Amino acid sequence: MTQLLHSPTHSMLVLEPDAVVRSTVAAVVRELELAQVQQAASVPLGTQVLTETAVDALVLSLADTEAALELLTRLRAGEFPSRADIPVVVLAPACDGPLALRLKQLEVLRLLLTPFKIRDVVQTLEALAPEPAVDPSAAPS
């Protein structure tokens, strides 16, 4: 899975119909300088963004479950300029067994059930930051 974040050159798409949730997540990501953020309020708008721009991560609402899962399936199939293996965080009101299996098959990094705390989103996104490089010559003998 692609490592990213903590870089002004990396970008993230937040696809969430709820304007308050969408803008809050985007504002926190910007404030913490985790990545540049693009926002979309619907799957068709998110599809347009993904068609025109490569992003390094996706926060995807399942408010429109089937359309969102179809978008994620297309992303994983490499139909967009973004890498097919970018980290994806899914926001959903509920999750049953079949949905959990489908999300696992689509390699979702994390599922956050609503209502969630913004802290949970931030911790998930911060975890995407690359680990500091270890200098092998500095290792103790």
Side-chain angles (χ1 to χ4, degrees), residues 11-131:
S11 65
M12 171 186 306
L13 172 61
V14 177
L15 196 164
E16 165 62 58
D18 185 312
V20 173
V21 172
R22 185 177 65 250
S23 61
T24 301
V25 170
V28 170
V29 169
R30 285 185 185 118
E31 186 174 317
L32 295 175
E33 298 179 353
L34 296 176
Q36 295 176 5
V37 181
Q38 296 188 59
Q39 299 179 53
S42 67
V43 172
L45 291 173
T47 302
Q48 182 177 347
V49 170
L50 289 173
T51 299
E52 298 170 355
T53 310
V55 297
D56 300 297
L58 173 63
V59 175
L60 177 64
S61 169
L62 292 187
D64 185 357
T65 305
E66 287 309 312
L69 291 173
E70 175 61 27
L71 175 67
L72 182 52
T73 300
R74 291 179 60 200
L75 173 71
R76 293 302 190 218
E79 293 185 24
F80 300 110
S82 303
R83 291 176 47 134
D85 67 344
I86 64 170
V88 175
V89 176
V90 167
L91 311 176
C95 184
D96 59 12
L99 178 58
L101 180 59
R102 193 156 176 203
L103 294 176
K104 183 176 180 176
Q105 292 168 340
L106 291 169
E107 299 178 33
V108 168
L109 175 71
R110 183 155 183 208
L111 167 65
L112 295 173
L113 297 177
T114 54
F116 55 85
K117 296 189 183 307
I118 193 67
R119 174 185 67 230
D120 296 333
V121 177
V122 171
Q123 288 174 341
T124 298
L125 298 175
E126 285 181 328
L128 297 175
E131 294 295 321

